[in-house]
Every structure is written in C-alpha cells, then in structure tokens.
C-alpha cells in the first residue's frame, strides 16, 4: 500500500480529547474509516484536567434531553469498555440569598415541566447528606438524583478502546500544521508525518480550535481561559463519601464533587486568566501546568471554598489542578460547519462542559457529517450562530465577550423558563 | 528568635527541561521558575515554629542572585515570612560561594536558626547547608523530617537510607528540610496583597565583603536519552523470554 492510501480516510479528526474521540467512535460505529490526529497524547489537554461534573438541567429543554440521551450512550460505553465512567452521586443546588432561592424555584419548576427528576430538598436533609458542608445560612436547595459526574480518564480510555475495536486509527504526537483546501472543499491536513487525506475534517482541537479554524481562514468565536480547582486529600475528620452529591453554590461561584475520599471544589472567578494559544510553546503540555503558592486565583478559590466548607483553608493538604477551558461568547459549544469551507466541521468549545456533553456531541457530529442533520434542535450550539454577527468577527472582540461570559458564568442570576425558545 | 530561610530560584522541574546545544546550561526561555520546593518546606516550617512559639519569632527569607529572584522572595512573603532580603549577585554560584555569602549574611543578621531546603531541585547537589554549618562552626541536622524544640536546642528526626535517626543540636544551628517535614501552605489573598507592598531589602555580595571564587566548574550538560519504550507481548512466556534473554533482568 502506498503512503497516499495509508493516510486516506473518510474522516480526519483533529484533536484526541473527549470531543474528537467520541466523534471518532460514533463515526466508526457507522462504518466510517476515521483517523484521529493528536498533537501530544490522547486526553492530555482540557479533557485530562476536567472535574467532569454532569448537571443535566440546562437553560433549554432540548439541551437537557440531549444530556439525558448522552447518559444512555455512557451506559452502553461502560458495558463495552468494562469500566465505570458515570458516578451517580446526585446533585444539589443551594441558595443563601432570596434571588438565588428564586433561581432554584424557577429551575425546579422548569425541570418538572419537562419531566426531569428534580425537587426541593429541606435544609435539614441537605445537612444530613453533606455533613462536611456549612448549611446554617441556606434558605433553599434542590436535588436531582440522576446527576453526578463522569470520570474523565475512564471516559477517554473507553472512547479509545471502543473506537480502536472499530478500526479507528490514532496518530499521537502528530500536530496538524496545515489544512488542505482546494476549491473551497477540504481535502485533508498536513502534519510532520506527512499529509492525511479525507473529504471531511473535524476540528476538535479544544483551546487550539480557533487556531485550526484560522488555518482554514475561518473565524471560530472562542477564547482560551484558565480554570482552577482544588482536590483535598482524605481527612478522617471530614470524610467525603464517594457518592456524596455534587453541589453548585452560585452565590460563592463554586461547584464541588467527591473525589477519592476528598473533595473537588472549583470556581468560576470573575477575573479569570486569558491565554493566547498561539503564544504558548509549540510543545506546551497542559498536564504540566501548575499554580504557584502565591497565585491569586488559587487564593480566591480557597477563600470562597472556606465560606462553604470552613474546614478547608490554605493549610489543608490538597492538590491544585489548573488547565485551560475553551469558552464561547454564550457559554455553549460550537458544533457543525461554517459557510466558508465545505467538509470542515467544528466540534469544540463546550465552555467547561466538554466531558458531560461529549457522549451526545459525538453522536450529533456523526449525524451532521453523514446525514446533514440531527434529530435534535441544535440551534443553541450550531457553530455558525455568530457568523456575520457584528461584534463577533475580530479576535479582540471575541476574546472580550468570551472572557465576560466566563466571568459572569456563576455571577449572573440564571433565568429559567418553563418554555425556552431562542 | 530569628529564623533565616535561604531561598533558591529554580526552574519548575515538572516542565520539559532542555539542554542548550552547546551543553553550557539549560534553555530558560519560557521556562517557569519557582521557589525551590524544599525551601518552600523550610518556609512552612519556620511559619509553624512562629505560630507555636510563645516568644517573638522573626522569619527572614533571603535569596542570592539577580533581580528576578524577587519573585520567589515575594512568594515567601505571601506565604507569611516577615521580611525578605535580596543579596544581589549576577555571577553564577556554586554551593561553596552560596555558603560563603550566607555565612557573611548570617554574621550581620545573627539568626538563631538557619532553615533551608536539603537541596536545590535544579542541580541536586545537596552541599550548601553542610558547608554553611561548617563555615559558621554551628551544629547541623540535615534531611529533617521532624523538628521539635527541646530546652534550648532542637530534637531533629532525620531521614536516612537506614531509617530514622534522631539527633539533638544546640542553637544556633543549620537544619535542612526533607520532603516529609511538612506540606507547604498556599498564600491567602490578604497575605498576597500585603506581600506585594512589602519592601525587599537589598544588599550586594561586595557590601557583605564576599569575593566570589568558584571552586566548581561546569564542564558540560548532556541530556540522557529517554530509554522508555513499551512493547505489547502476547503471553507470559514471551515476557519471560524478553526479560531473561533481551533485557537480562532475570
């Protein structure tokens, strides 16, 4: 077989994170020959740094339906790969102010209106379930028993294992240098290992995705933003059960879930760190990112954590994880083609929710690529929704809007309506 | 009581370190630098001594090197050190030079205890603390995993290859910190803000009356080629053959 044949596929996927791996697996399930090109190692970017929370109740009913369907895919994946991915801990939202209480009430009403399993829970019951959390200042809480988290490493390995069994080829340490386009149609990509050819290329490059779009002279409205979370080590005085519910405490901008006997706590701070991916070294390794002992974002993270978990402070034995998220101006992913290049699909920018969305996003991408449509109303995450919209064309504007979205992510009070349509 | 913590600025060794083509050093462009992790442990221990002590304890961090070392001194201040001094020096230093500079500085500052990392994670020499104790003619306790105050001296648990060794030293003394001595804290927001405003004292090696005369010469650095490789074997028998015949491990 000559090199051209060797490097020819039906679909080439740029990026071996959860978005790319899930899409590859779904395409392979439908008989496609797929090559995944990963600049370093599979799952070594944002996917490997994620907390993996799964909160199914989102701003739109369609989004919630998609996430619930995604969970079915995860169950199947667990069976085929023989690993535990989904940890069904349930999840809580808690409120200490009237406006946050209102937010929860609207959310519960909306959830119930679409048949999602969610209900109010008393503060006493909240305290019983989370003995390690301060609850005496809470005025409202709700509980969703089917939420939890997906274990990111297990998810990556399951996608890989099942994909490999279906014939997906994974090229690691193989960065894409050029996107080959002829007459407005994508033909493949160029890498240090030579050219790879396919009539369809999927850009699933996460924080690098806007740079991949640049290679094809397309504009992807996304920015790379730093994120921090802490993981405490098991503390006999404050045991955290592995099935303790996840908590979202928007007033303090934090989310939390159990991890190996300790607690993961992350925040969406109002002054995040911005990254220009093009300025990072070519061999930049996200898994080697580290926060200094005098990092202000870490100090804020610990400070806010202490408000809700008073036993956690600067001296608590813990690990700080830091990585890069890919945010869009509205905090929703970008899936599908842009008008400029035929055959080039984007699948990225899930704004801190890539792990939980990846199972269904892979399915949706396979549908879009092979059928040109999907059964879901994808309006809220179509890749071209900012195309030609004034104010979303220049890098500086895009960056500012994404940054503002991240900064207000937990700061703003959510409006949940029983019927939501854009 | 005064505790002096010498601080070394080192590259973050979790990053990929590359040797310059001519072998004269490492490529530092874009490489993040941190407070030497063992020195951070020394800072933490000094802070704990201060917190537990009924006497007034002053914790002073000092670093020797160019202006950029200020960053690591700020980290020490943010963690809780009371004061910091930058001993300005642009020359490259070997452990002997560092020990000489620290002896001169200790002569001025008169600490009761010098607490420092057991080694820098950049060159892993593990000599400075020992040389400094010898130069000062102070007792030393290296590789400390536990420090207790006992009467007018210290009881130090040392980690050795043979097991734990417990020694008593009188003060003043030099103690070097091992990994399990403690787990350093993160700085709080208020202390980071305070540390930003603090004045860092500056003094030159000339003012300290020290002439830098290197005794160590770096002939060259060479990266060790990675020998890590993985091969999938079909059976246990095949694995045994490989381990015995090819790798000669059994």
């Amino acid at each position: 077989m000559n090199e051209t044949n060797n490097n020819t596929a039906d679909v080439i996927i740029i990026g071996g994170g959860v978005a790319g791996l899930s899409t590859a697996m779904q395409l392979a399930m439908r008989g496609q020959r797929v090559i995944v090109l990963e600049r370093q190692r599979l799952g070594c970017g944002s996917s490997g740094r994620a907390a993996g929370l799964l909160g199914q109740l989102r701003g739109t009913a369609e989004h919630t339906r998609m996430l619930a369907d995604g969970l079915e895919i995860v169950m199947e994946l667990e069976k085929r790969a023989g690993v535990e991915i989904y940890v069904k801990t349930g999840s809580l939202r808690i409120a200490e102010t009237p406006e946050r209480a209102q937010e929860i009430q609207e959310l519960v009403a909306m959830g119930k209106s679409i048949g999602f399993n969610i209900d109010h829970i008393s503060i006493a019951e909240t305290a019983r379930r989370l003995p390690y959390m301060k609850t005496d200042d809470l005025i409202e809480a709700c509980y969703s028993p089917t939420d939890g988290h997906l274990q990111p490493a297990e998810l990556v390995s399951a996608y890989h294992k099942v994909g490999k069994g279906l014939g997906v080829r994974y090229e690691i340490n193989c960065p894409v240098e050029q996107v080959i386009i002829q007459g407005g149609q994508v033909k493949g990509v160029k890498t240090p290992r030579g050219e790879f050819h396919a009539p369809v290329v999927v850009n699933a490059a996460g924080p690098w995705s806007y740079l991949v779009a640049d290679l094809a002279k397309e504009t992807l409205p996304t920015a790379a933003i730093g994120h921090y979370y802490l993981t405490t080590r098991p503390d006999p005085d404050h045991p955290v059960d592995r099935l303790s519910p996840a908590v979202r405490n928007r007033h303090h901008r934090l989310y939390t879930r159990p991890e190996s006997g300790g607690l993961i706590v992350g925040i969406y701070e109002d002054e995040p760190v911005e990254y220009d991916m093009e300025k990072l070294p070519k061999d930049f390794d996200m898994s080697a990112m580290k926060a200094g002992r005098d990092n202000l974002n870490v100090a804020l993270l610990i400070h806010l954590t202490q408000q809700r978990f008073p036993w956690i402070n600067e001296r608590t034995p813990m690990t700080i994880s830091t990585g890069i998220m890919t945010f869009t101006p509205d905090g929703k992913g970008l899936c599908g083609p842009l008008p400029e290049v035929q055959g080039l699909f984007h699948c990225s920018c899930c704004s801190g929710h890539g792990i939980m969305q990846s199972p269904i996003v892979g399915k949706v991408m396979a549908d879009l690529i092979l059928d040109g449509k999907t059964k879901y109303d994808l309006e809220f995450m179509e890749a071209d929704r900012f195309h030609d919209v004034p104010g979303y064309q220049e890098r500086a504007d895009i960056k500012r809007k994404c940054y503002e979205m991240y900064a207000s992510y937990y700061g703003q009070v959510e409006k949940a309506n029983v019927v939501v349509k854009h | 009581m005064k505790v002096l913590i010498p601080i070394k600025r080192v590259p973050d060794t979790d990053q990929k370190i590359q040797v310059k083509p001519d072998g004269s050093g490492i490529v530092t462009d874009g490489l993040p630098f941190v407070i030497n992790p063992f020195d951070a442990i020394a800072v933490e221990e000094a802070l704990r001594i201060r917190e537990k002590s009924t006497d007034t304890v002053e914790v002073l961090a000092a670093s020797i090197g160019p202006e950029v070392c200020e960053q690591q001194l700020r980290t020490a201040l943010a963690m809780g050190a009371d004061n910091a001094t930058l001993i300005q020096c642009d020359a490259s230093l070997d452990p002997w030079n560092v020990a000489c500079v620290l002896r001169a500085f200790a002569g001025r500052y008169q600490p009761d205890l010098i607490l420092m990392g057991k080694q820098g994670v950049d060159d892993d020499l593990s000599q400075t603390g020992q040389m400094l104790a010898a130069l000062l003619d102070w007792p030393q306790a290296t590789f400390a995993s536990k420090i207790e105050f006992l009467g007018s001296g210290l009881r130090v648990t040392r980690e050795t290859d043979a097991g734990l060794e417990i020694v008593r030293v009188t003060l003043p003394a030099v103690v070097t910190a091992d990994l399990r001595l403690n787990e350093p804290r993160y700085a709080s927001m208020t202390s980071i803000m305070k540390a930003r405003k603090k004045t860092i004292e500056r003094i030159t090696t000339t003012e300290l009356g020290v002439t830098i005369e290197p005794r160590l010469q770096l002939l060259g650095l060479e990266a060790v080629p990675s020998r890590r490789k993985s091969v999938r074997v079909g059976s246990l028998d095949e694995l045994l053959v490989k381990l015995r015949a090819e790798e000669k491990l059994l």
Side-chain angles (χ1 to χ4, degrees), chain A residues 40-51:
Chain A
Q40 279 180 325
R41 307 174 307 279
L42 298 181
C44 80
S46 318
S47 298
R49 311 292 285 166

Side-chain angles (χ1 to χ4, degrees), chain A residues 233 288 290 293-294 314-315, chain B residues 12 14-15 51 183 187:
Chain A
R233 278 191 265 293
K290 222 159 64 176
R293 303 222 163 255
D294 56 345
E314 291 83 21
R315 297 174 207 196
Chain B
D12 176 1
D14 285 344
Q15 310 297 321
E51 282 157 8
E183 187 162 339

Side-chain angles (χ1 to χ4, degrees), chain A residues 109-368:
Chain A
M110 176 199 158
K112 285 185 167 172
S113 76
I114 59 169
F116 182 72
N117 194 347
I118 186 169
D119 214 335
H120 295 279
I121 179 172
S122 73
I123 307 305
E125 179 61 14
T126 303
R128 196 188 67 76
R129 284 179 194 233
L130 290 133
Y132 52 86
M133 184 172 81
K134 174 178 148 84
T135 49
D136 57 5
D137 60 338
L138 298 181
I139 58 172
E140 180 68 276
C142 67
Y143 178 64
S144 322
T146 60
D147 278 349
H149 61 266
L150 304 183
Q151 305 195 86
E154 284 75 2
L155 184 63
V156 166
S157 83
Y159 284 142
H160 177 223
K161 191 172 177 185
V162 174
K164 203 171 168 191
L166 293 165
V168 176
R169 186 172 141 201
Y170 303 90
E171 290 284 332
I172 61 168
N173 296 314
C174 190
V176 167
E177 293 165 332
Q178 258 180 53
V179 177
I180 306 162
I181 299 161
Q182 278 167 18
Q185 161 70 45
V186 75
K187 296 286 181 191
V189 298
K190 210 171 160 180
T191 76
R193 238 172 262 168
E195 292 188 1
F196 290 83
H197 299 111
V200 174
V201 172
V202 179
N203 169 18
W208 289 271
S209 56
Y210 72 91
L211 296 178
V212 172
D214 282 352
L215 293 176
K217 300 199 167 48
E218 290 189 327
T219 301
L220 206 62
T222 170
I225 295 175
H227 188 81
Y228 300 84
Y229 66 81
L230 61 83
T231 310
T232 63
R233 278 191 265 293
D235 176 352
D237 294 334
H238 306 280
V240 179
D241 190 88
R242 78 177 286 274
L243 291 178
S244 289
V247 179
R248 286 174 186 77
N249 183 188
R250 293 171 63 93
H251 179 67
H252 287 309
R253 295 175 165 268
L254 51 90
Y255 62 83
T256 160
R257 73 155 170 92
E259 171 64 44
S260 310
L263 196 64
I264 282 181
V265 187
I267 57 164
Y268 284 92
E269 64 272 59
D270 58 353
E271 288 185 34
V273 183
E274 281 181 77
Y275 287 92
D276 291 316
M277 301 310 287
E278 62 274 25
K279 289 184 187 156
L280 296 176
K282 271 228 162 350
D283 61 350
F284 170 73
D285 184 355
M286 205 186 289
S287 62
M289 280 177 82
K290 222 159 64 176
R293 303 222 163 255
D294 56 345
N295 180 305
L296 204 54
N297 294 67
V298 173
L300 179 67
L301 162 65
I302 295 170
H303 171 76
L304 290 174
T305 300
Q306 200 178 5
Q307 311 301 307
R308 190 50 57 206
F309 304 95
W311 51 281
I312 300 175
N313 59 43
E314 291 83 21
R315 297 174 207 196
T316 306
M318 64 174 102
T319 309
I320 302 287
S321 304
T322 173
I324 298 177
M325 280 186 174
T326 316
F327 250 72
T328 59
D330 59 4
K332 303 286 194 301
L334 297 168
C335 294
L338 289 171
E340 286 90 352
V341 181
Q342 292 294 307
L344 177 60
F345 288 75
H346 303 278
C347 172
S348 156
C349 321
C350 284
S351 306
H353 296 77
I355 298 290
M356 72 169 194
Q357 295 193 70
S358 68
I360 194 65
V361 157
K363 174 94 172 54
V364 164
M365 288 305 297
D367 292 347
L368 289 178

Side-chain angles (χ1 to χ4, degrees), chain B:
Chain B
M1 183 171 135
K2 294 199 276 189
V3 184
L4 172 63
I5 318 285
I7 302 279
K8 189 176 191 183
R9 171 184 165 88
V10 297
D12 176 1
T13 47
D14 285 344
Q15 310 297 321
K16 206 183 286 169
I17 308 285
Q18 282 172 315
V19 175
K20 284 184 192 166
D22 66 358
S24 64
I26 58 163
V27 180
T28 53
D29 289 348
L31 191 61
F33 279 77
V34 296
I35 187 166
N36 175 36
F38 291 112
D39 297 347
I41 293 171
V43 172
E44 175 65 34
E45 195 63 20
L47 300 176
R48 291 185 189 187
I49 290 170
R50 189 182 66 191
E51 282 157 8
K52 268 186 249 158
S53 174
T54 46
D55 296 333
T56 313
V57 175
E58 186 190 286
V59 179
L60 174 76
S63 191
I64 312 167
E67 275 302 309
V68 281
C69 295
E70 183 182 328
Q71 293 164 8
Q72 282 63 48
L73 289 174
R74 294 267 173 224
T75 306
L77 287 170
M79 286 174 72
D82 298 295
N83 292 299
T85 299
L86 175 60
I87 303 167
Q88 294 166 308
C89 179
D90 286 328
S92 78
L93 303 167
D94 65 21
W96 170 254
N97 304 140
V98 175
C100 289
V101 173
L102 288 175
R103 172 183 58 172
F105 186 70
R108 285 200 173 208
Y109 180 65
Q110 299 282 324
D112 302 281
L113 174 63
I114 300 179
L115 197 52
M116 56 202 290
K118 66 165 182 173
Q119 68 199 69
V121 297
D122 50 357
D123 52 25
D124 279 343
L125 287 177
S126 191
Q127 297 174 359
T128 308
Q130 293 88 326
M131 286 180 178
L132 176 60
L135 283 170
L136 288 164
D137 200 19
W138 289 3
Q140 59 175 299
T142 51
F143 313 133
S145 63
K146 193 175 181 186
I147 300 174
E148 297 155 284
F149 277 79
L150 220 69
S152 58
L154 301 175
R155 187 182 137 102
V156 180
T157 307
R158 304 180 61 234
E159 293 197 349
T160 72
D161 289 344
L164 297 179
E165 184 182 63
I166 297 168
V167 295
R168 274 197 193 187
V169 291
T170 53
L171 291 176
V174 176
V175 178
T176 71
D178 210 333
L179 188 67
R180 278 163 287 275
L181 181 58
N182 61 52
E183 187 162 339
R185 70 193 61 190
Y186 284 88
S188 72
M189 286 204 291
T190 36
S191 66
I192 293 172
M193 293 311 192
K194 263 197 234 160
R196 286 183 181 178
K197 286 183 201 136
K198 273 205 175 133
T199 312
I200 290 179
E201 301 287 331
R202 280 175 168 71
I203 190 165
T204 62
T205 46
T206 322
E207 283 170 304
L208 285 172
V210 184
T211 322
I212 306 296
E213 287 166 343
R215 290 191 173 185
L216 244 177
Q217 191 192 349
L218 177 70
L219 297 179
L221 280 178
E222 207 179 309
V224 180
S226 170
R227 282 192 67 245
R228 282 182 67 182
K229 56 178 182 184
S230 55
V231 183
R232 187 176 288 270
V233 291
S235 66
L236 182 62
D237 289 339
E238 197 187 328
L239 175 69
L240 289 172
V241 168
K242 272 191 184 298
L243 290 177
R244 284 201 182 108
E246 293 173 30
E247 302 293 332
K248 306 211 183 320
L249 289 173
L250 294 177

